Amino acid sequence: MEPIGEVSDPESLNPTALGFMCGLEIHQQLDTGKLHSRMSSELFDFKFEEIPKNWNRFERKLRAARGEGGKIDVAARFEQLRNRSFVYFQSPNASLIELDEAPPDIHDENAVDIVLTMSAMMNAKPINSLQAMRKTVVDGSNTSGFQRTTLVATHGILDTKSGDVGIDVVCLEEDSARKLNSETTTDGEKVYYTLDRLGIPLVEVATAPDIQSPEHAKETAIRLGSLLRDTRRVRRGLGSIRQDLNVSIACGDRVEIKGCQDLDWIPKIIRLEMARQIHMYKLANQLRVEANLPLLPPDRSNDNIPVENRVAASAKSRLPINILDVSEIFSTSESSMIQKSLSNDEVVLAVILPGFAGKLGVKTLDSQGSQLPRLGRELASAAKLAGVAGIFHSDELPAYGITEHDKKSVMDKLSLSNSDAFILCVAPRWQANLALESVINRARLAYHRIIQEVRNVVIKKGQPDDGTTTAMRPLPGGARMYPETDVPILHITHERWLAIEQNLPLNQEQRYSLFSEVEISENQIDALIRAELDDIFLSGISGKLNKSLPPLPSKAWASGLLENTESISNDSLAAAIHLRETNLLTREGVMPLSKLADKSNISQSDLVSWMSSKIKDLGFEPADTSSVEGAVDEAIEEMRGMIDAKGMGAIGPLMGIVMKKLGGSADGKVVNSILRSKIQKLK
Amino acid sequence: MPYPVSMDELPEPGTSIKIFVKTWSGEDTHTGILLPSSDLDLLTIKLLNGYNISFPMTYISNFEIISESLKNSPINNLKYDADKSLPLVYLIHTGGTIASKVDYKTGAVSASFEPIDLINAMPELENIARIKVLKLGNMWSDDIRPRHWNMMLKATEKAFSEGASGVVITHGTDTLHLSAAAMAYGWGGEGCKPPGRIVLTGSQRSPDRGSSDASENIIASVMWAANGPKPSGYRDSSVIILHASSSDGNCVVLPGCASRKYHSSRRDAFKSINQKPIANITIQKKEITIIMGDYEPLESRFESQNPKIFNENIRIAEFISGPHIQSELIEAAIKLNFDALLLHGTGLGHLPISNPENDSIENTRLKSVIEDYCLDGGIIVIVAQTINGPINMNIYSKGRKQQEMGILGHDSLCPPGSALVKLHYLLSINREKEYIAKKWSSDLVGENPKFVRE
């Protein structure tokens, strides 16, 4: 059945009717040291200009690994021609291993345990013998030229409210180096990386294509993220989790979309991709009708390979790679950008797309402001594989300073009819040639169903721009993986697995249920669980935290934990709160005294007696209520005039006077309430 | 009970199969391509997603063949049309993984020595030299013995007889400096020089990875073999070329007679000892440039057509001086008729042979064993376990005593690895102690210069 729905209204598309298939891939950093070196996972938040001068730097190149063979595509040839080199800054947590100057260590045992735990939580089956693999990476983000990745478990299940989603694989991999900058030099391109992030363990969870709808994809991402966080052993914060989507509909094919960090955008991104796949399918058939070629079946599973080969041959003969120099036409162009390029020895090259006029499309927005799919944008992505900034195509001209007259001149020079389209590329000759070759290759594919590829969400200012994506590269197959022979196979014993299964972490629901008897506010419960302070809270109020203390009062202990912004140890904090609650310590004294105890390394059982001995000297002894009342009376006497004038507004200044009289040893809260009641009585 | 499958029942590697496994984690099935096993009791398949997974054979309860193995078609039918105007360079392979490649289908690493594969991997070579290839073996360099030095010497002789401007010996890095020294003494030890350039190179990162140092090392080596200065026979009879630093883009040319591996894993693992590098070779976008150091060909030597071959029956016993060296070991070597003893002395070349506190009878025993052996005409040579710096047995009375006892080695800057090869070389010519004594302090190929500048 032909795909139904309006491309211009992605919200109206019906996933089930379109044969929607979707899976999710999540990468989450684990809160351990690095996976294959024993360095810490500390991140150094430096920008390129801020990298300390004393960090060593190393310059390397990556060569296409020998024997990888196959045909050399535009991206690979561009890679050769652009002569890219990589500069690595050696952060303090980068050893010879991160520099690719020493063999890797075996897997970090904690990281393995965490991933086994996650696997057990998803009912996945562990692999008995863990074998690290090398996944080839060519962008320099790994000093070795590959990423180490280990398959840990398969065949799990994630329960979501809308239904079960299968878990295909759970893997343990290394995170990549962090890109800081790139620049073009006369000798080629230089890309700068810092090595602080390289090697941090990531769990990769890939679901089966069981996701039922764009909304279900978002739900699955949220569910999966929260399950991973339930281990309490993952890193939090910006960049610690990344989501990729795999999306297809019957008339399209599988596309991997990277950069879906903001989960709220997921449904929209998916719907726009569905619309794109329908648009490209319809366009292909339109082209086929005009060329008298057999139509594409609406479902890719009915594709007929000999027919597709015939169409490919026809497309190739219709769209030869015939690149022409039209620089001369633009020697007097009004476009300052083209003028500037020409004066830099660049050229304007053109290719013809016969019969493509009107098929490339112009920028049109849907009702929500997202760009609608169009071939022109795909061709531009293809050109960008050769490193050019973009292309001009005839459907969108005149624009960008290229006039109707310029357009006409090009059409005359290329002897084009009104049904033909052309593409221009302004760049150094070698690069423009490469870019236009790539454009023609992509244009030929317009006669077919969309190809399997990796796409990137268009990001502007750290946010998805409008939910659309651009092509990045063909979908890599399993072919880029081979064994990491430097890391021995890690055998998981049954005992280890049993220990993992028997010690699974609590989930959110179970955690909330532990608060059923606790008298603190919902907000505080939420805050404690979110900050992962609930375990320590519960052990404090049950008296298990420190055997020499009685159970702590819930409210005071919860506030103490939530207000602890200075990483004071739980033991010191508990002892101080206990003293405060028994009225032996002022509220103001809690944090300073705890800090002092931390610094002095006092043992848990001695904390209370040690703190008690310090309270007086430090001036944190609470004044008793009668002396507070005396001081308040004195102050009221002295400041009567002000009280009469300001009423309750006098409390502020009076507080200061009373506290001074009591030498700082009073509890501000107590002073305040006594002052308040006495002033009220005056009236 | 699962029915265990035996290795013999499995189809050939490359076959697509579905396996049924029963392990402690339950029953499961996996589909993928059967791989050649690295371990007799382990079955490994490559899953569609690229991961390899392995199971002990006892876990495999059954399997189904999905499709037969696809015969690998030849990777390419390209022919290597060498430019006849370019200098001929022979690549002599002894092993190591420097010329290996990965089969991305199975993940297996195999070796390829075809010139066309080298040119495909390193297109730069095509414009530098006409490449011919000779395979001597596939050895880890730690397994190399003096007989293999002779094989290398004969291979270089063959290459030069065919008009090669230079040869590049690809070699595992562990003992690369010893083979390099062997080439230097073999061709130049008797005051001669080889007819062409001899380069030894290797790699510290295997070539399957994008970050490998192998390509730059080979390109720089072929560059030197084709276009380096004609060897003078002094310091440059053989050279070692590897990375100059941890960064790419710069390789260093070291004297084969006086260098060694000083780091087990870094790219810049090799350093010249007691002397400076001969040159650097930079590899830029389009240009490969030889930058000579302060290199002066000091002697005019006679060009040899045949290298001197090492006597493969010579046996040398090596010992390291220190708190644990015992006379019994030395005595055993003497009894076993080793041709010479090479002792790695501490500091300027010392052994524990005095007993100042009268509490270490081992030292006295060691002294008397050595004394007796030397009196009998036995050959003991001291080298520096400090690696850098001279052996000088004139400074302390200990050293002077050792000389009196008849221990050789005084007044030499020859690094210990090169010294082992030098000793073997000299013993191959003449096993008399007087001869060794006379030759030891001489500077045969640049291994023992008159002064240290480093």
Side-chain angles (χ1 to χ4, degrees), chain A residues 44-102:
Chain A
F44 297 83
D45 196 17
F46 291 122
K47 295 200 174 65
F48 176 59
E49 312 76 38
E50 302 163 352
I51 292 290
K53 291 275 173 287
N54 60 355
W55 287 18
N56 287 331
R57 52 164 78 189
F58 300 86
E59 191 166 339
R60 298 265 176 76
K61 298 204 156 176
L62 289 179
R63 284 186 165 252
R66 221 178 281 181
E68 208 159 0
K71 65 173 187 229
I72 301 176
D73 61 10
V74 166
R77 268 170 37 221
F78 171 55
E79 206 52 58
Q80 280 173 12
L81 286 166
R82 72 166 150 175
N83 195 40
R84 194 155 57 149
S85 61
F86 308 103
V87 179
Y88 299 105
F89 291 101
Q90 186 183 14
S91 60
N93 63 339
S95 67
L96 283 190
I97 294 174
E98 283 80 4
L99 286 174
D100 191 41
E101 283 286 39

Side-chain angles (χ1 to χ4, degrees), chain B residues 354-374:
Chain B
S354 41
N355 184 8
E357 299 297 330
N358 219 6
D359 56 359
S360 303
I361 186 76
E362 306 94 313
N363 295 1
T364 319
R365 273 200 219 116
L366 182 64
K367 178 168 174 250
S368 84
V369 166
I370 290 176
E371 236 162 8
D372 290 352
Y373 179 60
C374 287

Side-chain angles (χ1 to χ4, degrees), chain A residues 57-70 80-83 96 99-104 125-129 131 133-137 142-146 148-151 154-155 169 171-173 186-188 204 430 477-486 489 491-495 497-498, chain B residues 23-30 35 42 44 46-56 59 75 97-109 112 117-118 120-124 204-212 214-216 218-219 245-249 263-268 283-286:
Chain A
R57 52 164 78 189
F58 300 86
E59 191 166 339
R60 298 265 176 76
K61 298 204 156 176
L62 289 179
R63 284 186 165 252
R66 221 178 281 181
E68 208 159 0
Q80 280 173 12
L81 286 166
R82 72 166 150 175
N83 195 40
L96 283 190
L99 286 174
D100 191 41
E101 283 286 39
K125 289 199 169 66
I127 301 292
N128 308 77
S129 307
Q131 156 92 70
M133 301 290 291
R134 298 171 172 175
K135 196 191 277 179
T136 307
V137 173
N142 289 67
T143 46
S144 54
F146 52 74
R148 297 186 183 92
T149 174
T150 304
L151 179 63
T154 58
H155 302 158
V169 293
C171 302
L172 179 55
E173 3 184 271
T186 50
D187 198 36
E204 181 200 68
W430 67 268
R480 63 177 182 146
M481 277 217 258
Y482 64 105
E484 165 57 280
T485 44
D486 295 344
I489 287 180
H491 298 281
I492 304 296
T493 62
H494 196 192
E495 292 69 37
W497 179 247
L498 287 177
Chain B
T23 75
W24 50 256
S25 60
E27 289 182 39
D28 211 346
T29 60
H30 298 280
L35 297 186
L42 225 49
T44 304
K46 183 178 256 322
L47 302 176
L48 287 177
N49 60 17
Y51 285 94
N52 290 11
I53 57 172
S54 303
F55 294 95
Y59 285 3
I75 297 168
T97 48
I98 180 157
S100 61
K101 62 176 185 180
V102 178
D103 178 345
Y104 283 83
K105 210 174 242 165
T106 62
V109 179
S112 164
D117 288 339
L118 292 167
N120 277 342
M122 293 165 277
E124 292 94 329
Q204 289 283 84
R205 295 281 90 75
S206 57
D208 60 77
R209 53 175 92 199
S211 65
S212 174
S215 296
E216 286 200 351
I218 290 182
I219 291 166
S245 77
S246 182
S247 292
D248 286 328
H263 198 282
S264 60
S265 66
R266 284 177 61 114
R267 287 166 172 74
D268 52 351
I283 298 164
Q284 301 295 333
K285 187 177 183 181
K286 278 174 192 143

